[in-house]
Amino acid sequence: MNEPRYTAGHHLLHGRTAVITAAAGAGIGGATARRFLEEGARIVIGDAHVRRLKETEDALMAEFGAGRITSLPCDVTDEDQVRALFAHAEQAHGRLDIVVNNAGLGGTAALADMTDEQWNRVLDVTLNGTFRCTRAALRSFRATGTGGVVVNNASVVGWRAQTGQAHYAAAKAGVMALTRCAALEAAEFGVRVNAVAPSLAMHPHLVKVTSGELLAELTAREAFGRHAEPWEVANVIVFLASGYASYMTGETVSVSSQRA
């Protein structure tokens, strides 16, 4: 079995400022926040869950010090809160270099029984939220003229069919299409836009909202016979945000063997 081994940072993001949405807790957003700090970045973390956001900020400050971390509650379905998060980043650190759009919402419902509310809620957080934050990022980068990077969190479900996931699959496929279109428009002012597409990155919240049977089934599909750790996805986000990916834009990178 392929056992994951955590590696130390290499200052790939030294001196750069990043906004990371849905960064509270132990999922991909929280792992990305930690990884960015290990790579030398300054971070502004947002999340709709205020208590968990404060706990995450406090934990990171205890480990990395207070100078490179700040937070602001942000619900990505609220345009005013999105604008406030980006303004806060620029005010706190004087610049913005990287945006990681991690916010997303899942759920399981058969299409024939799905309500408009279920459909709209998943699309509003996952696709519209990514749109709002990407738009804010591109406006900021265009105004400063210093370039920048956007990394979106998509999913392999955006490529493949899965029962009960029509809303989530549609939203993630939309994130992929948004990534490609935004990349073409942003290239004009030196900005790269890419996405990651994880399959199964295990964290406590996922365990709470997903049945053990489904998690076992999804794990069995993976080439390595195990789920990904959130930091393994964060490693790819770091790569896409770094200078090592300087000629990549409009791409969706599968962090899995399960693209189709």
Side-chain angles (χ1 to χ4, degrees):
M1 180 179 291
N2 171 271
E3 293 292 344
R5 187 172 75 176
Y6 201 87
T7 56
H10 293 82
H11 304 288
L12 297 181
L13 306 176
H14 180 73
R16 302 176 75 185
T17 297
V19 165
I20 306 168
T21 65
I28 292 171
T32 300
R34 173 177 297 277
R35 260 316 201 184
F36 272 43
L37 288 168
E38 290 171 343
E39 295 293 348
R42 298 180 294 263
I43 64 170
V44 178
I45 55 175
D47 202 288
H49 300 277
V50 177
R51 177 185 57 81
R52 290 210 306 260
L53 180 64
K54 184 65 168 66
E55 290 172 352
T56 299
E57 181 184 28
D58 289 345
L60 291 173
M61 283 185 174
E63 184 172 354
F64 295 97
R68 292 191 289 132
I69 308 163
T70 185
S71 73
L72 191 73
C74 180
D75 179 345
V76 297
T77 69
D78 186 317
E79 173 64 12
D80 289 339
Q81 292 189 39
V82 169
R83 290 186 180 187
L85 179 66
F86 280 78
H88 178 72
E90 293 177 1
Q91 291 166 3
H93 298 295
R95 61 178 295 154
L96 179 63
D97 303 290
I98 303 163
V99 174
V100 178
N101 290 317
N102 178 63
L105 180 68
T108 301
L111 187 58
D113 301 317
M114 189 179 295
T115 66
D116 283 6
E117 182 181 5
Q118 288 174 305
W119 174 272
N120 290 334
R121 179 62 177 162
V122 169
L123 267 290
D124 199 19
V125 174
T126 308
L127 178 55
N128 296 345
T130 301
F131 155 69
R132 292 183 189 99
C133 292
T134 300
R135 179 175 61 186
L138 297 190
R139 285 173 173 173
S140 175
F141 294 146
R142 183 176 61 184
T144 60
T146 56
V149 179
V150 177
V151 183
N152 296 324
N153 192 356
S155 169
V156 294
V157 180
W159 282 309
R160 72 184 190 208
Q162 188 169 314
T163 58
Q165 297 294 308
H167 47 359
Y168 187 68
K172 290 300 190 179
V175 169
M176 294 176 180
L178 172 65
T179 297
R180 293 191 295 270
C181 293
L184 286 179
E185 296 184 18
E188 180 181 348
F189 41 96
V191 173
R192 298 187 296 107
V193 186
N194 292 293
V196 293
S199 54
L200 183 62
M202 197 72 72
H203 53 86
H205 180 67
L206 182 63
V207 173
K208 288 181 182 179
V209 300
T210 309
S211 70
E213 293 79 7
L214 179 57
L215 290 176
E217 176 189 341
L218 295 174
T219 299
R221 295 182 187 176
E222 296 296 323
F224 293 128
R226 66 171 179 85
H227 58 77
E229 299 295 337
W231 57 263
E232 292 180 288
V233 180
N235 285 347
V236 182
I237 294 173
V238 166
F239 163 71
L240 291 173
S242 77
Y244 281 119
S246 60
Y247 201 67
M248 289 182 66
T249 197
E251 295 295 330
T252 297
V253 179
S254 177
V255 191
S256 169
S257 66
Q258 298 297 312
R259 174 167 177 159

